[in-house]
Amino acid sequence: MKQFLNRHGLNITKYAFVNLMLVIVLFPIYWMLLSSFKTNNQLLTLPPEFIPSSVTLANYIEILGTPKYLIYYKNSLIVTSITVVLTIIISILAGYSFSRYTFKGKKVAMLLVLSVQMFPLVAILISLYTFYAKLHLLNTFTGLILTDITLSLPFAIWFLWAYFNTVPRSLDEAAYIDGCSRMRTLFTIIVPLVKPGLLSVAIYTTLKTWDDFLFSLVIITRDAMRTLPVGIAVSFLGEYVHNYVGMMTVSVAASAPLVILFILLQKNMVSGLTTGSVKG
């Protein structure tokens, strides 16, 4: 018995620790999903019910039947889709330029791109709000999309720069000999070779934009233009009454696309991250 414990005791401890961490991480998700099938009275019952005695779909029926929540959903889709597309296009051009061209001030330019993520978001927000107010970009999707693109680009550019470095320059030279222009070489030969990297950038930008709360809250104040995170906060937290189950229900609906996206593309994302980091 002692030999068995000495041999397998460490593995048992490791698995127990991993399972404990898994429970801690997954419990909030389980509680959010469980609460969406309860009433407020059931949710506030003490001791809490971790296994529900009864469930209801009334919360989902109410959410789907309320137009403003669908508008929040639509706004998030619009902002996220445009942000992802523009971020990918700009990061492809910038990452390829940093990878293939040598010019004066290149290292400084790369550091300046990365420096955007070095400043506290609140410090950026104050100056950005003043700047947008003068340009009349407050309460516009344009202002919010420009902000989300700016915050996503540093990682996207650096990540694709490392990915483009893994592609041999001989492919570019062979394309030039065959008469291809720079842009044609980039989009017909080089870009297909870095698809895993592009997918990783797209997933990263989607998660970052879809979950943005701070900038959406400050830049957009019109209810009809709010995105999901802000819409959830302002709709269910009242002065005297909080609709917790409604908040949980909309949160489940808001999280579902991201969870499905990650489950479907997690292998591609992991391979894209590891390939770019190892070879870059």
Side-chain angles (χ1 to χ4, degrees):
M1 183 66 179
K2 186 177 181 179
Q3 292 180 350
F4 175 82
L5 290 177
N6 291 335
R7 184 181 305 173
H8 301 285
L10 184 59
N11 289 334
I12 293 174
T13 303
K14 288 181 179 178
Y15 285 123
F17 178 76
V18 170
N19 288 329
L20 177 61
M21 291 297 102
L22 187 63
V23 170
I24 293 175
V25 171
L26 292 181
F27 179 76
I29 301 175
Y30 169 76
W31 186 251
M32 179 180 69
L33 182 61
L34 180 65
S35 301
S36 67
F37 294 101
K38 292 181 177 182
T39 63
N40 275 306
N41 291 333
Q42 289 176 319
L43 182 62
L44 300 176
T45 299
L46 293 176
E49 293 183 349
F50 297 107
I51 300 177
S53 56
S54 61
V55 297
T56 177
L57 295 176
N59 299 320
Y60 287 95
I61 296 174
E62 179 182 355
I63 294 302
L64 293 175
T66 306
K68 71 174 182 178
Y69 301 128
L70 300 180
I71 292 175
Y72 296 155
Y73 218 102
K74 181 195 71 174
N75 294 341
S76 288
L77 286 174
I78 293 173
V79 172
T80 302
S81 301
I82 297 176
T83 300
V84 169
V85 172
L86 293 180
T87 299
I88 289 177
I89 294 174
I90 297 172
S91 60
I92 286 175
L93 298 174
Y96 182 77
S97 298
F98 282 131
S99 175
R100 293 299 192 263
Y101 292 97
T102 300
F103 52 90
K104 187 177 181 180
K106 175 180 176 180
K107 292 183 178 180
V108 176
M110 295 180 67
L111 289 175
L112 288 176
V113 170
L114 194 61
S115 66
V116 175
Q117 294 188 329
M118 297 180 183
F119 295 96
L121 293 180
V122 175
I124 297 175
L125 184 61
I126 296 172
S127 56
L128 191 66
Y129 183 87
T130 305
F131 182 66
Y132 277 7
K134 293 180 179 180
L135 294 179
H136 305 288
L137 289 176
L138 296 177
N139 284 313
T140 64
F141 286 148
T142 302
L144 183 57
I145 290 170
L146 287 175
T147 303
D148 290 329
I149 291 174
T150 303
L151 297 177
S152 300
L153 275 178
F155 168 82
I157 292 174
W158 271 75
F159 186 79
L160 288 184
W161 165 74
Y163 234 100
F164 283 127
N165 286 339
T166 66
V167 180
R169 293 175 180 265
S170 57
L171 293 177
D172 301 62
E173 296 169 358
Y176 302 153
I177 293 174
D178 290 336
C180 291
S181 63
R182 279 282 187 181
M183 296 300 291
R184 184 177 179 185
T185 301
L186 172 61
F187 286 102
T188 61
I189 297 176
I190 307 300
V191 167
L193 298 177
V194 297
K195 281 184 179 179
L198 295 178
L199 187 59
S200 297
V201 169
I203 295 174
Y204 165 81
T205 307
T206 300
L207 295 175
K208 189 174 182 63
T209 306
W210 187 270
D211 291 336
D212 174 55
F213 176 82
L214 180 61
F215 289 93
S216 298
L217 177 65
V218 175
I219 295 174
I220 303 293
T221 57
R222 293 178 184 172
D223 187 63
M225 298 184 67
R226 286 186 172 123
T227 56
L228 264 175
V230 180
I232 292 173
V234 301
S235 298
F236 299 102
L237 297 180
E239 184 176 358
Y240 301 106
V241 179
H242 297 339
N243 184 4
Y244 293 110
V245 295
M247 181 185 300
M248 295 296 182
T249 305
V250 179
S251 297
V252 171
S255 304
L258 300 183
V259 172
I260 295 172
L261 179 68
F262 182 78
I263 291 175
L264 294 177
L265 302 177
Q266 59 175 327
K267 291 184 179 180
N268 304 81
M269 184 176 183
V270 172
S271 64
L273 290 172
T274 54
T275 301
S277 61
V278 171
K279 295 183 180 180

